[in-house]
Amino acid sequence: MCEQASVLTGVGAGIVLAPNALRALESIGLAPGSWAGDALPGQVGLRTPDGTWLTRSDSGSLSARHGTAARAVHRGFLIDTLATALPAGTLRLGVSVTGVDDTGDSVTVRTSAGDLRADVALGADGIRSVLRGQLFPGHRGLRHAGEAGWRAVLPGAGPPAQEAAETWGRGERFGVVPLSDGRIYVYATAASGPGARTGAGPADHHAELTRRFGAWHDPIPALLDGLDQRAPDRVGILHHDFHELAAPLPRFHTGRAALLGDAAHAMTPNMGQGGCQAIEDAVVVAYLLASIDAAPVALAAYTETRHRRTTLISRRSRRLGELARLSHPLAVPLRNLAVRAMPRALSRRAQDTLLDWQPPSAPTNTNTNTNTNTKEYR
C-alpha cells in the first residue's frame, strides 16, 4: 500500500460509521465493540434554527432495527486503527503513485520510489484521483456541488455531551456529532458557487460561522464560542468546497486496475456515506479477488456488484443536498412541513435499503465465472 503522506496524522474531522460500514469492518475482524467505543448516544434527528425537531429517532431503536448502532470517531483514529491492523511492511509512507501500466498479465505501478509490479492495482487516491484520469481520460470529472463546508473537532472538556443532530436553515446547515472519545465534531454548510470561500484564515472562518449561526438554538452558540481563534487552545477549522463526479463512471475497473471510494464514486456528504461506501468497496473487492482466480474477471464482478448501489446513493445524496439548500422564504416552510409529515414507515424503508447492506461471506469458490452470486450483497 502506497501512501503519499510521510506520516499518518490526525488530519480531518469526524466520521460517522453507519451500520453498513460497521458490518463490513466486522467481517474482516474489526468488530466495532473492540475499538470504536460506544454508539451515538440519545436522540438523533433534524432541527430548525429555533430548536424545533422535524424528525427524531432514538439510537437504541435504530440499533434494534439494524442490528448495530452507528459509531462516530475521529478520522485520524480510524486511519490509525486500520493501519495498525495491516501486516508489518504493508504500508509504504511518503510514496506517491503517478500511474499504472497494464500489460495484460500484470500491472506496473509507477511510484515516486520506483516501479512496483503486481497482479492487481487498486486505486483509492481520493476525489481528485490521478488514476481515474488515466483509466477514464474521456470522463467529465468533478463538478462543484453548490455548497461549501466547515468542519472542526472540539475537545471533550468543552460543552457537555450533545445529542447528534443536524439543523436546517435557509441554504445553511449546522451539525453536531459527539465522538466516541468524548470530543464533539461540528460541521456547517452554506450554498455557494465555485471558489466563493469566505475569509482567508481560521479567524475569518470563525467570524463567518458566528455571523451565520450565532443566533441559532443551543448548543450552537456555545460550540461556536469554543471555536474562537483568540483562545490559547484554539481549534482548527477546515473549510472546503463540495465536489462530486459530474456523472457516474462507466465502470470501476479497466483490466487489472480498479478504483475504490471517492476515486470511483465521489459523492456529496449529505448522507454521510462517502467513507462508508469506500469501506464496503474494499471488503467486496477483497472478497472477489480471493474468490475468483482470474483478476480481471474478479474486478468485472466488483463493478457489477458495486456500481448500481453507489450510483443510487450518490443520486440520493445529491437530491438531499438540493432539498437542504432551499433558501426561498416560501419554499423553506413547505420543505420543513413535508419532512415533518413524512410517514415513519416510508422513512424507515428508505433507510433500510441503505443501512441493511450485508458484507459477503468468506470466500468459497475459485472459478472464473462472473456469475458469483454478487447480487446477494449489493
Side-chain angles (χ1 to χ4, degrees):
M1 178 180 292
C2 298
E3 164 58 51
Q4 66 179 351
S6 57
V7 293
L8 294 180
T9 62
V11 174
I15 181 171
V16 176
L17 297 172
N20 52 310
L22 293 173
R23 282 190 215 96
L25 291 169
E26 186 170 9
S27 75
I28 59 172
L30 290 174
S34 65
W35 62 274
D38 295 332
L40 283 172
Q43 302 288 326
V44 178
L46 183 63
R47 308 177 79 172
T48 61
D50 66 1
T52 302
W53 288 92
L54 296 176
T55 63
R56 202 174 191 186
S57 300
D58 180 77
S59 60
S61 64
L62 292 176
S63 176
R65 185 171 182 84
H66 300 292
T68 186
R71 262 78 168 176
V73 300
H74 195 284
R75 286 175 182 265
F77 172 73
L78 175 61
I79 291 170
D80 287 343
T81 300
L82 296 175
T84 301
L86 292 173
T90 301
L91 183 60
R92 303 185 183 192
L93 295 175
V95 178
S96 58
V97 174
T98 58
V100 171
D101 295 333
D102 189 342
T103 65
D105 297 325
S106 65
V107 289
T108 299
V109 182
R110 309 294 183 189
T111 83
S112 58
D115 293 348
L116 300 172
R117 189 175 179 182
D119 297 318
V120 172
L122 301 178
D125 53 342
I127 190 169
R128 290 176 173 80
S129 169
V130 171
L131 295 186
R132 183 176 64 228
Q134 178 186 339
L135 298 180
F136 303 99
H139 188 264
R140 293 161 56 192
L142 298 175
R143 69 177 171 196
H144 193 271
E147 279 185 296
W150 298 263
R151 295 173 295 156
V153 175
L154 290 156
Q162 306 294 336
E163 294 178 324
E166 186 169 281
T167 302
W168 286 8
R170 293 175 52 185
E172 300 171 330
R173 285 177 286 172
F174 196 97
V176 180
V177 181
L179 302 183
S180 60
D181 62 6
R183 291 183 288 177
I184 302 171
Y185 169 42
V186 297
Y187 61 90
T189 73
S192 72
R197 295 190 176 186
T198 57
D204 301 297
H205 294 319
H206 178 256
E208 180 68 9
L209 289 168
T210 302
R211 181 185 71 80
R212 290 179 178 273
F213 306 104
W216 285 24
H217 66 78
D218 292 333
I220 293 175
L223 294 170
L224 291 175
D225 287 344
L227 299 178
D228 191 342
Q229 299 303 296
R230 296 170 297 180
D233 56 346
R234 57 183 179 272
V235 173
I237 301 173
L238 302 175
H239 184 253
H240 297 94
D241 287 337
F242 290 171
H243 292 86
E244 61 178 345
L245 284 186
L249 292 175
R251 59 193 180 279
F252 292 161
H253 77 288
T254 296
R256 290 178 173 269
L259 302 174
L260 287 74
D262 281 349
H265 43 70
M267 62 184 70
T268 59
N270 302 307
M271 295 180 65
Q273 277 289 314
C276 295
Q277 290 307 301
I279 293 169
E280 286 187 16
D281 287 347
V283 168
V284 169
V285 76
Y287 167 81
L288 290 169
L289 287 169
S291 302
I292 303 173
D293 285 340
V297 177
L299 296 184
Y302 164 67
T303 284
E304 179 188 354
T305 304
R306 297 295 301 156
H307 194 278
R308 181 174 181 272
R309 174 169 168 82
T310 56
T311 298
L312 291 174
I313 292 173
S314 179
R315 288 172 179 168
R316 285 176 60 183
S317 183
R318 184 183 310 124
R319 289 196 295 266
L320 184 62
E322 292 168 351
L323 188 66
R325 285 200 307 275
L326 289 175
S327 59
H328 193 281
L330 296 180
V332 170
L334 291 176
R335 175 199 67 190
N336 293 349
L337 179 62
V339 170
R340 187 180 295 170
M342 178 179 289
R344 181 164 295 185
L346 181 63
S347 176
R348 283 178 174 173
R349 281 199 298 271
Q351 197 173 55
D352 289 348
T353 61
L354 178 68
L355 302 182
D356 284 349
W357 178 89
Q358 296 292 328
S361 55
T364 55
N365 83 68
T366 56
N367 65 64
T368 58
N369 188 341
T370 56
N371 256 335
T372 55
N373 236 2
T374 56
K375 289 184 179 178
E376 69 184 53
Y377 49 88
R378 273 187 173 166

